[in-house]
Amino acid sequence: MTQAALQQRGRVVSTFDYDTAFVRNLGWVTQAEQGLLRRKRVAIAGMGGVGGVHLVTLARLGIGAFNISDFDSFDVVNFNRQAGAMMSTLGRPKVDVLAEMALDINPELEVRRFPQGVADENLDAFLEGVDLYVDGLDFFSFAARRATFAACHRLGIPAVTAAPLGMGAAMLAFLPGGMSFEEYFCLDGCDEEEMAIRFLLGLSPAMLQRGYLADPSYVNLAERRGPSTIVACQLCAGVTAAEGLKILLGRGKVFAAPRAYQFDAYTNRLVRTWRPGGNRNPLQVLGLWIARQQLRRMKNAGAKHG
């Protein structure tokens, strides 16, 4: 009797079989496409809020190999949103915990770990043999993010980033031969606060999350601090997996930069945006000016309160 038949009878199967494990994907993908996913390698930098959920989600899609990086360890403050954050993993390296979780889903996975994170000196190794890069870096990791996306652009590797904003997700894809990360966000020469403003508004020109921020005092760009939810992280993993599937299989329309979209579950809204020139677009220039004024008012209010 086959393992699939045993499962249908409610009996536990103690050995792993790839075809059986991912048989429920079939229908949404063909058998040949599932075999193609099995031969793909995805790189994910960051195993925290979105990165960890990305890994688990893509592993359940049947992706066969991963390069993963993170230099951090789990702490209690991660419990509200990070897939690997549990009492049993406190103090453990995120890259090891998430690798073990992925291997527990698919013991046949090939997982290359980069426990030092990503930087100029290891990017070529991190991206070697990679079919897709998925951004899971912390919002404020601008140096590492810029370097990684620049390397993907140079090497012709598709790259996607999904930002967990409020209770929604903002999606951007950068494809070979298309607009680059730097061309879209225009971060060159900016200080960290300006980078944060440009990155945030570039990710979500519609800013759907702004209307229901209950307490703005928890947002402090200078202190690298902002609120987060598991709702947003889970949504990011879903939209990233869908875009990644289309890219890896070469089917379905991918709206790459300067096109993007944001879905917000709290407001039940989906907005597609098109910003030729990225943050140089007149609409973005105006939005950036407004964002700077709002940030200045927040700082002044905080100073008076203090």
Side-chain angles (χ1 to χ4, degrees):
M1 184 178 292
T2 66
Q3 289 181 326
L6 288 173
Q7 284 189 324
Q8 289 172 358
R9 291 194 175 192
R11 296 175 61 182
V12 175
V13 177
S14 60
T15 58
F16 178 82
D17 176 76
Y18 181 94
D19 293 332
T20 302
F22 303 110
V23 69
R24 287 299 189 93
N25 291 340
L26 301 182
W28 299 115
V29 299
T30 67
Q31 211 163 24
E33 287 174 331
Q34 188 67 63
L36 188 61
L37 292 175
R38 188 178 189 177
R39 298 190 293 275
K40 296 296 185 180
R41 179 177 294 275
V42 174
I44 309 172
M47 288 287 106
V50 291
V53 192
H54 286 327
L55 177 62
V56 172
T57 303
L58 292 170
R60 293 194 187 280
L61 268 184
I63 303 296
F66 294 94
N67 294 355
I68 60 174
S69 73
D70 203 305
F71 58 80
D72 201 7
S73 299
F74 282 113
D75 194 357
V76 176
V77 73
N78 305 140
F79 276 30
N80 79 310
R81 69 199 182 284
Q82 299 194 11
M86 295 167 278
M87 291 301 297
S88 60
T89 64
L90 282 176
R92 292 197 59 205
K94 294 180 181 181
V95 72
D96 290 339
V97 171
L98 268 299
E100 290 168 10
M101 290 175 67
L103 286 163
D104 213 17
I105 295 167
N106 179 358
E108 296 177 355
L109 281 179
E110 184 188 340
V111 183
R112 299 175 189 165
R113 308 179 198 188
F114 292 77
Q116 70 276 36
V118 290
D120 288 330
E121 55 269 21
N122 71 350
L123 274 173
D124 283 349
F126 178 67
L127 295 172
E128 184 179 358
V130 165
D131 300 291
L132 172 68
Y133 169 66
V134 173
D135 179 25
L137 291 167
D138 180 84
F139 179 88
F140 295 98
S141 297
F142 296 119
R145 179 174 283 109
R146 293 176 71 189
T148 306
F149 274 93
C152 288
H153 188 67
R154 171 172 54 85
L155 297 169
I157 297 171
V160 296
T161 185
L165 301 173
M167 299 185 198
M171 165 60 66
L172 261 170
F174 297 90
L175 300 182
M179 192 175 203
S180 73
F181 180 92
E182 281 296 330
E183 289 169 336
Y184 182 85
F185 285 104
C186 310
L187 302 181
D188 193 37
C190 299
D191 61 24
E192 186 167 279
E193 186 174 280
E194 179 66 14
M195 284 190 200
I197 294 171
R198 292 189 181 201
F199 188 50
L200 176 60
L201 198 68
L203 286 166
S204 59
M207 290 292 286
L208 298 180
Q209 73 279 7
R210 182 176 53 194
Y212 58 89
L213 179 63
D215 189 342
S217 69
Y218 284 91
V219 180
N220 191 316
L221 299 183
E223 295 179 5
R224 295 187 163 199
R225 176 166 53 85
S228 59
T229 69
I230 185 61
V231 177
C233 293
Q234 297 279 14
L235 286 170
C236 283
V239 299
T240 296
E243 293 299 317
L245 185 90
K246 291 189 288 184
I247 292 169
L248 292 172
L249 297 180
R251 68 168 169 93
K253 178 69 174 177
V254 177
F255 291 95
R259 298 185 185 275
Y261 68 87
Q262 181 180 3
F263 170 70
D264 191 275
Y266 189 89
T267 60
N268 305 130
R269 292 182 64 194
L270 170 67
V271 174
R272 296 184 181 89
T273 55
W274 180 49
R275 294 295 186 269
N279 277 334
R280 292 187 181 90
N281 185 280
L283 287 174
Q284 290 297 96
V285 171
L286 176 60
L288 289 167
W289 182 85
I290 294 171
R292 293 185 197 104
Q293 302 310 306
Q294 291 175 336
L295 181 62
R296 187 174 295 114
R297 286 195 292 271
M298 288 170 62
K299 284 182 177 179
N300 292 337
K304 289 177 182 178
H305 185 267

